[in-house]
Amino acid sequence: MEKPILPFTFLITLLPLLSNAQILPSPNQQFIGINYGRQGSNLPSAYETIETLKAMQVSRVKIYDSDHEFLKLLSGTSIRVTIMVPDDDIPDIASNQSAANRWVHDNVLAFLPGTMIRGVLVGNEILSDSRAQSLSYQVVPAMRNIKKSLNNHNIHNIKVGTPVAMDIVETSFPPSLGRFRGDIPREEILLPLLNFLNRTRSYFFLDVYPYFSWSENPHNISLDFALLREGNQTAAAVDPTTGLAYTNLLDPMLDSVVFAMQQLGFNDIRIAISETGWPTSGDLDQPGANLYNAAAYNRNLVRKIMANPPVGTPARPGVPIPTFVFSLYNENLKTGPGTERHWGILAADGKPVYELNLNGTVPESEYPPLPEPANNVPYQGNVWCVVASGVRIFDLGPAVDFACAAGNGTCDALAPGSDCYEPVSVVSHANYAFSSFWARFRSHGANCHFNGLATMTTVDPSHGACKVPSVCV
């Protein structure tokens, strides 16, 4: 999943939208697919998942590896699949054509033609991972070797690319000022990547999340704008350089990449959305993460992408944008903020979290109503990090030890005779340790998760002389 993009402020004005010519797509260019991640402890089997995909009439699916069981079970279905080269495999494939040939043989050729593999993505958001800088230089060589191996077998209908996050551009408004980040080497990485995509007629695969941009700046960006609600066609954010008018938050994000590519001389590389979506739940300091907004965003997204003729974006009117929604399931093993575990349109048991039709034919009025959200305004007040409900007591010990080992006085108040030593309770001590750790290290990236053992609360767990540290959000 992408990192949040740099904040920006929109120039909002009232202006009729520019009329644009439409370009009809070929049928295989315009689709909504879905991402199938498996970082969950209790997810349905591969067989059950495929049956669910068929029942949902999903035409495309993207996975984060090349799971052989899943690919074998897809054989004979009409579902097209995009697979991924794991980060760890990139160095060998980049430096050795024989390694690329083996990978293609084992993960592509072994399943053709019964399984309709239509994409191979090399790595996942490599250009956004500061810990994977060396891999950044190896992504394009690996892509070249994969493509060469496919060509040697006369396979030309599989697109090869790599997903990038929105933080690849320095700003996304106004879109005409879109530029790739200055710290990404132009000659060694950017130009080789764009040359490869242009030469092979592949896509610039982009992970793009309006939710992150809105939730970081909810007072200056309209929620309706972020949710792709375009009922008022005269209200637009206007690019002062081009005069292009934007009625939703997704389009300027996409067009900023279009202009960034044009700035380097590449005018024709198409964009595909490899991930987008909206979370159904999150932490108290993550506004707007709820069922109502997630359903609204994804339903509006489907209507936009599946429109016939296609809508495109203001900079590329009528150009279809292949799109994968994130994601199929909620994944309870993902780390990080609460939203990370709540992007699924299905719960872990396979039941819908909310109704979503992916073919674009269901009007909003036919969906069942959802409760109005209560967290669209950022919470302001004190928050504590405490033991989550249903947690097994004997699982807390290692987590408390981890928090206390961080030092910086994190658990001094838990020492015998100190204010928070009593009651001598595992849960009470864990509540203090979790909250104290989070309060001290939140500015360094710590979150209230502790492998699923903790949750945020507005209820102060302090008692007597024991004052449990809190975070003000």
Side-chain angles (χ1 to χ4, degrees):
M1 185 181 298
E2 70 162 299
K3 283 66 174 180
I5 66 171
L6 299 175
F8 53 84
T9 302
F10 283 100
L11 171 64
I12 303 294
T13 188
L14 296 180
L15 184 74
L17 283 179
L18 304 179
S19 60
N20 293 311
Q22 302 294 333
I23 303 172
L24 291 175
S26 62
N28 66 346
Q29 289 182 299
Q30 188 178 4
F31 68 82
I32 285 275
I34 198 156
N35 286 279
Y36 169 36
R38 301 198 306 278
Q39 294 188 50
S41 62
N42 50 356
L43 298 181
S45 67
Y47 173 80
E48 292 170 319
T49 296
I50 291 172
E51 292 303 304
T52 297
L53 293 174
K54 290 191 291 187
M56 294 170 61
Q57 298 182 344
V58 173
S59 64
R60 313 258 178 161
V61 64
K62 180 165 76 71
I63 60 178
Y64 292 85
D65 51 26
S66 55
D67 183 73
H68 287 191
E69 179 189 16
F70 186 72
L71 293 179
K72 184 176 181 180
L73 289 171
L74 278 179
S75 180
T77 72
S78 60
I79 300 172
R80 293 161 174 79
V81 60
T82 294
I83 63 178
M84 187 171 287
V85 176
D87 294 357
D88 291 345
D89 290 350
I90 292 175
D92 283 345
I93 292 174
S95 61
N96 190 327
Q97 184 62 52
S98 295
N101 294 342
R102 286 193 300 271
W103 195 94
V104 169
H105 176 272
D106 293 344
N107 299 286
V108 179
L109 300 181
F111 302 99
L112 297 178
T115 299
M116 292 190 288
I117 299 173
R118 293 295 181 266
V120 174
L121 301 184
V122 178
N124 192 33
E125 295 187 355
I126 295 296
L127 301 185
S128 297
D129 191 346
S130 59
R131 299 164 300 177
Q133 289 185 348
S134 62
L135 286 183
S136 298
Y137 294 88
Q138 298 171 306
V139 168
V140 176
M143 291 164 59
R144 290 196 195 106
N145 285 346
I146 292 288
K147 184 64 176 175
K148 182 177 179 180
S149 183
L150 293 171
N151 288 344
N152 288 342
H153 291 280
N154 202 31
I155 299 172
H156 304 291
N157 63 344
I158 294 179
K159 299 297 183 184
V160 178
T162 187
V164 299
M166 268 304 301
D167 67 355
I168 196 171
V169 292
E170 293 178 341
T171 182
S172 62
F173 200 88
S176 60
L177 295 184
R179 299 293 184 269
F180 291 116
R181 287 200 333 262
D183 64 308
I184 302 176
R186 174 173 168 170
E187 300 296 328
E188 295 88 351
I189 295 177
L190 283 175
L191 289 180
L193 172 62
L194 295 174
N195 273 310
F196 174 88
L197 300 177
N198 189 57
R199 177 177 57 82
T200 62
R201 307 304 297 165
S202 187
Y203 294 98
F204 193 101
F205 288 91
L206 187 64
D207 294 351
V208 51
Y209 288 91
Y211 168 75
F212 288 130
S213 298
W214 173 82
S215 63
E216 289 188 347
N217 200 10
H219 297 296
N220 293 318
I221 301 176
S222 161
L223 179 58
D224 283 345
F225 196 71
L227 293 176
L228 315 185
R229 289 190 177 123
E230 303 186 51
N232 183 358
Q233 289 293 307
T234 62
V238 178
D239 187 319
T241 300
T242 64
L244 294 176
Y246 293 88
T247 59
N248 66 73
L249 182 53
L250 178 64
D251 282 348
M253 297 172 79
L254 297 174
D255 277 354
S256 68
V257 177
V258 169
F259 283 104
M261 291 191 291
Q262 290 180 357
Q263 195 264 340
L264 294 181
F266 296 87
N267 300 320
D268 300 319
I269 298 175
R270 296 165 294 173
I271 286 180
I273 300 176
S274 42
E275 286 184 12
T276 191
W278 196 282
T280 57
S281 182
D283 298 327
L284 288 174
D285 59 349
Q286 294 180 291
N290 55 63
L291 286 175
Y292 188 90
N293 292 344
Y297 177 83
N298 280 328
R299 290 168 185 174
N300 292 333
L301 174 76
V302 170
R303 280 191 285 272
K304 172 182 172 61
I305 298 300
M306 296 302 289
N308 189 18
V311 177
T313 66
R316 287 184 173 175
V319 177
I321 308 169
T323 297
F324 291 93
V325 174
F326 188 86
S327 61
L328 184 60
Y329 295 118
N330 285 332
E331 300 172 71
N332 67 332
L333 295 182
K334 299 192 77 171
T335 59
T339 52
E340 286 295 309
R341 294 169 288 285
H342 296 95
W343 293 86
I345 63 174
L346 302 180
D349 60 5
K351 295 180 180 178
V353 178
Y354 56 89
E355 299 293 332
L356 179 66
N357 181 283
L358 294 176
N359 62 26
T361 61
V362 177
E364 183 66 31
S365 60
E366 293 188 12
Y367 284 113
L370 291 170
E372 289 285 341
N375 68 335
N376 281 346
V377 177
Y379 177 81
Q380 294 182 335
N382 290 326
V383 178
W384 290 263
C385 182
V386 299
V387 175
S389 61
V391 167
R392 298 179 300 181
I393 297 298
F394 55 80
D395 288 337
L396 293 173
V400 172
D401 290 343
F402 168 81
C404 293
N408 198 26
T410 300
C411 293
D412 287 357
L414 295 178
S418 297
D419 288 344
C420 296
Y421 177 68
E422 294 184 348
V424 184
S425 155
V426 174
V427 171
S428 178
H429 281 206
N431 286 341
Y432 185 92
F434 290 171
S435 286
S436 181
F437 177 88
W438 188 44
R440 283 167 170 75
F441 298 103
R442 182 170 181 257
S443 61
H444 300 284
N447 55 69
C448 178
H449 184 233
F450 290 94
N451 293 324
L453 299 176
T455 188
M456 293 182 185
T457 182
T458 58
V459 179
D460 187 353
S462 300
H463 51 88
C466 176
K467 302 301 180 185
V468 179
S470 65
V471 167
C472 183
V473 297

